[in-house]
């Protein structure tokens, strides 16, 4: 009989989905198995050992011993195979061979090789490991409630050691059933999509909704439609141009009204400085100090960036610190030939053993040199926050960071926050969040099959900065200022703050009017004249023109349409004149519904093979510096759910390389692109000096980043 155990275990293979309920005694296995069988209108496999051992006890043959292990395993497997013949799509097994194997090892310190081999071979689509958070109940056959944690640990370890796909189920019986059903539904979807149980576990651990992955794979197969540009947004055609007196009025309006508002500054700060030092990394990889001069390398590679870096080296804010360390490491450093000095300087700057700047986040690198200190971008943002994001002597700065970098940000913040608070007469609260794992993306190969690493595991990639709409959505504030981490300046904090507050003033004025209209539309006495007034406001102030069919609607439907149009989050975006900076810009875009709207569009969203679209792109007059002020609450002071206003069809497909193999990955609609596509949008021209990004380290040599 025993010799056929492995063959019997394998013979149970079928197209049904098999779920094993696995765990120590008295952990609710039978309860969950019966609940699931009832829910899915199918059968469950009871525990063979219970009847077997009860009969043995009743017949006077004693209690369970080691010789019972194989008969129990054989009987359990036979029951399971019989159940599989009549199961309806799912089969739930109250126990299995692996349970018998664990008990044999725990109680007898021995497991028959036949049982061990069969237990390892016996496959299930998923194991539910039942937790010990339920009371132990004595039924006359169970052993003891003592040592439950150790026994549970042994069961869990057996699943890990035998590479079984499992999820731990905890809670009361209603909670367990609810969790189990949700998991089974997702597992079923994943298996039908062609994923394995192990793939499903990876996806489940990331918390990625299966519906999101289905959409991503549709995008991989069908592609993503490009934006349809109609015209560039220009001054007086989508971009508002204000006089200096107008800016002053908007700034004053903001200052007068800010005490009623909860303000916050939001800075995406998780970006690493890899690109900032890209040309220096290339130099270290390709330059041979023993056989070539740096000048020869520059001429050979036409590397003007390296030349500029070396010429301006002593003007970088990190120069003194690196130079000091070089003299410690190389006592004869000052007597070395110039090429060696420059080479060792660059090497130390990027070396993981020393400064490692290319692998650190931009936000903590030295950007500006003052008389008494060196400032990182995070410090400059703290100062800015105190200047324009303060209400009732309270400032709030929120940073999205990588989890492993948060401590480095906190260290700098704690050093300087007190001084800034004293100077600004405000209390600054700094909070952090991470890009959520559930926004990660499953990468695919060039045949649109899931891309796997050398261990056969799925490869996940971050969803791009569009994932941060989740972080923004979690913020509780009336007005949020958004600015990139590297867009700081050394000498312009007051004028920069002036224009930032002016944008907030534009926002608040518009909100006041929008909220007033929405409250009137809520009343029962909305006059036709008011409808016409709102239509004019939409056209003149928000660049929204409803189609002719609107006038054919009944008054009730007109009101409904206007409320739908007005009741949205709003963004006021500063735009600077285009002077060749790479990145997105403001355009009039044709939507799928045939309506034109103002959007910030990236080059990658445009069909560059279409001559007409390319012409519109190249004729753009303004550039998006990521200078946004956002209103996140409605006229009832309720938070919008920002996920409802995303254009999911405006993401990107990017081509990457992993271990020398090409792959594709979907990137979510950008934070200020498709993630805000269905917001109310206003573009305002702001002076170019408000935009001073640091894309490469050489940007730090520009006057705006140098001491006066």
């Amino acid at each position: 009989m025993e010799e056929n155990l492995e063959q019997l275990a394998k013979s149970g293979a079928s197209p049904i989905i098999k779920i094993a309920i696995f765990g120590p005694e008295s952990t609710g296995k039978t309860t969950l198995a019966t609940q699931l069988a009832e829910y899915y209108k199918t059968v469950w496999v009871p525990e063979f050992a219970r009847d077997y051992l009860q009969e043995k006890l009743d017949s006077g043959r004693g209690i369970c011993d080691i010789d019972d292990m194989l008969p129990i395993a054989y009987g359990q497997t036979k029951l399971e195979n019989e159940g599989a013949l009549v199961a309806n799509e799912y089969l739930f097994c109250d126990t299995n061979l692996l349970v018998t194997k664990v008990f044999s090892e725990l109680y007898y310190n021995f497991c028959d090789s036949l049982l061990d081999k069969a237990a390892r071979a016996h496959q299930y689509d998923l194991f539910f490991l039942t937790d010990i958070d339920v009371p132990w109940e004595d039924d006359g056959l169970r052993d003891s409630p003592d040592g439950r944690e150790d026994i549970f640990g042994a069961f869990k370890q057996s699943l890990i050691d035998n590479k079984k796909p499992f999820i731990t189920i905890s809670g009361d019986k209603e909670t367990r059933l609810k969790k189990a059903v949700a998991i089974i539904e997702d597992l079923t979807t994943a298996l039908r999509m062609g994923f394995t149980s192990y793939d499903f576990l990876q996806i489940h651990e990331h918390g990625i909704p299966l519906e999101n992955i289905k959409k991503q794979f549709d995008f991989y197969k069908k592609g993503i439609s490009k934006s349809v540009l109609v015209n560039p947004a220009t001054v007086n055609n989508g971009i508002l141009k204000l006089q200096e007196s107008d800016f002053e009025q908007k700034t004053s309006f903001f200052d007068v009204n800010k005490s009623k508002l909860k303000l916050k500054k939001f800075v995406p700060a998780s970006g690493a400085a890899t690109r900032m030092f890209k040309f220096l990394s290339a130099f270290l990889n390709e330059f041979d100090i023993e056989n070539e001069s740096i000048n020869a390398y520059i001429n050979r590679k036409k590397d003007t960036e390296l030349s500029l870096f070396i010429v301006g080296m002593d003007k970088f804010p990190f120069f003194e610190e690196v130079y000091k360390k070089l003299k410690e490491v190389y006592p004869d450093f000052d007597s070395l030939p110039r090429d060696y000095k420059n080479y060792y300087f660059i090497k130390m700057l990027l070396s993981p053993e020393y400064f490692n700047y290319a692998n650190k986040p931009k936000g903590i690198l030295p950007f500006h040199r003052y008389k008494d200190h060196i400032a990182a971008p995070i410090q400059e943002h703290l100062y800015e926050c105190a200047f324009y994001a303060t209400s009732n002597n309270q400032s709030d700065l929120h940073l999205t960071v990588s989890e492993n970098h948060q401590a480095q940000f906190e260290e700098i913040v704690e050093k300087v926050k007190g001084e800034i608070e004293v100077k600004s007469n405000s209390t600054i609260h700094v909070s952090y969040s991470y890009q959520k794992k559930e926004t990660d993306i499953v990468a695919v190969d060039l045949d649109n099959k899931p891309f796997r690493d050398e261990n056969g595991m799925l490869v996940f990639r971050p969803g791009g900065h569009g994932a941060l709409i989740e972080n923004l959505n979690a913020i509780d504030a009336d007005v949020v200022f958004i600015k990139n981490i590297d867009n700081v300046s050394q000498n312009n904090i007051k004028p920069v703050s002036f224009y930032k507050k002016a944008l907030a003033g534009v926002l608040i004025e518009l909100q006041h009017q929008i909220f007033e209209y929405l409250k009137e539309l809520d009343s029962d006495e909305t006059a036709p004249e008011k409808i016409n007034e709102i239509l004019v406001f939409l056209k003149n102030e928000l660049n929204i023109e409803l189609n002719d069919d609107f006038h054919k609607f009944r008054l009730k439907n007109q009101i409904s349409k206007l409320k739908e149009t007005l009741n949205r989050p709003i963004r006021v975006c500063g735009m600077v004149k285009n002077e060749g900076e790479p990145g997105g810009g403001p355009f009039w875009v044709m939507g799928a519904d045939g309506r034109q709207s103002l959007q910030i569009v990236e080059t990658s969203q445009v069909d560059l093979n279409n001559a007409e679209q390319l012409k519109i792109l190249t004729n753009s007059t303004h550039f998006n510096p990521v200078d946004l002020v956002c209103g996140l609450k409605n006229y009832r002071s309720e938070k919008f759910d920002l996920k409802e206003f995303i254009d999911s069809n405006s993401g990107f497909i990017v081509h990457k390389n992993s271990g020398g193999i090409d792959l594709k990955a979907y990137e979510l609609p950008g934070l200020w692109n498709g993630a805000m596509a269905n917001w109310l949008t206003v573009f305002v021209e702001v002076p170019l000096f408000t935009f001073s990004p640091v894309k490469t380290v050489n940007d730090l040599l520009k006057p705006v980043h140098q001491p006066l």
Side-chain angles (χ1 to χ4, degrees), residues 358-388:
N359 292 315
K360 290 182 177 179
K362 276 187 182 182
I364 66 169
L365 296 183
F367 266 33
H368 299 146
R369 181 171 55 203
Y370 292 90
K371 289 181 180 179
D372 57 351
H373 70 283
I374 303 294
I378 177 59
Q379 293 167 254
E380 303 291 16
H381 279 289
L382 276 167
Y383 274 109
E384 281 194 23
C385 191
F387 264 89
Y388 59 72

Side-chain angles (χ1 to χ4, degrees), residues 356-613:
N356 197 29
Y357 276 1
N359 292 315
K360 290 182 177 179
K362 276 187 182 182
I364 66 169
L365 296 183
F367 266 33
H368 299 146
R369 181 171 55 203
Y370 292 90
K371 289 181 180 179
D372 57 351
H373 70 283
I374 303 294
I378 177 59
Q379 293 167 254
E380 303 291 16
H381 279 289
L382 276 167
Y383 274 109
E384 281 194 23
C385 191
F387 264 89
Y388 59 72
T390 299
S391 174
N392 301 313
N393 302 112
Q394 296 287 324
S395 295
D396 273 284
L397 174 63
H398 184 83
L399 303 164
T400 62
V401 298
S402 298
E403 189 171 359
N404 58 324
H405 291 145
Q406 181 175 337
Q408 295 170 280
F409 279 93
E410 290 176 332
E411 183 180 354
I412 295 175
V413 168
E414 288 308 309
K415 282 181 181 178
V416 303
K417 187 163 75 81
E419 179 187 346
I420 298 172
E421 288 177 328
V422 171
K423 287 182 178 179
S424 63
N425 190 32
S426 65
T427 300
I428 303 175
H429 177 254
V430 181
S431 56
Y432 303 87
S433 65
Y434 318 127
Q435 187 167 314
K436 297 180 179 179
K437 285 179 67 177
E438 58 261 38
T439 63
D440 284 357
I441 305 297
V442 177
V444 297
D445 61 23
L446 298 185
D447 293 321
N448 299 319
K449 304 293 184 185
F451 187 89
R452 301 179 186 279
D453 63 17
E454 62 275 10
N455 298 315
M457 305 294 281
L458 296 176
V459 171
F460 295 87
R461 294 185 56 84
H465 70 66
L468 299 182
I469 197 69
E470 297 272 2
N471 304 64
L472 188 61
N473 203 31
I475 284 177
D476 181 21
D478 299 295
V479 175
V480 176
F481 299 87
I482 299 181
K483 199 175 185 186
N484 273 344
I485 187 66
D486 64 341
N487 184 14
V488 290
S489 62
Q490 182 158 353
N491 307 314
N492 296 322
I493 190 166
K494 287 185 178 179
V496 164
S497 298
F498 169 80
Y499 286 103
K500 201 74 169 179
K501 291 200 290 185
L503 294 179
V506 173
L507 174 83
I508 296 168
E509 278 192 340
L510 286 171
Q511 273 193 327
H512 282 191
Q513 185 61 75
I514 291 167
F515 290 177
E516 182 182 314
Y517 284 146
L518 284 166
K519 288 172 183 175
E520 288 190 40
L521 292 170
D522 265 351
S523 71
D524 296 327
E525 300 178 356
T526 306
E529 297 78 30
K530 182 60 68 174
I531 298 291
N532 291 330
E533 180 184 328
I534 295 173
L535 290 173
V536 171
F537 172 81
L538 283 171
K539 182 178 179 180
N540 293 343
E541 304 298 331
L542 297 175
N543 293 288
I544 295 173
E545 195 165 2
L546 301 182
N547 59 37
D548 293 338
D549 288 342
F550 176 82
H551 298 284
K552 300 175 184 177
F553 297 164
R554 294 180 179 180
L555 180 61
K556 179 181 177 181
N557 293 333
Q558 288 183 342
I559 290 172
S560 178
K561 181 64 177 178
L562 289 176
K563 288 174 70 173
E564 176 196 331
T565 303
L566 286 170
N567 194 27
R568 298 167 182 265
I570 183 170
R571 56 176 176 162
V572 175
C573 313
M575 291 291 162
V576 297
K577 288 184 178 177
N578 193 339
E579 295 201 350
E581 290 282 357
F587 291 89
W588 287 97
V589 175
M590 183 67 70
D593 59 359
R595 287 177 52 193
Q596 295 182 27
S597 64
L598 288 172
Q599 302 291 343
I600 297 170
V601 180
E602 303 287 340
T603 302
S604 58
Q605 293 177 271
V606 181
D607 182 1
L608 301 180
N609 295 317
N610 184 311
E612 183 180 346
Q613 291 290 288

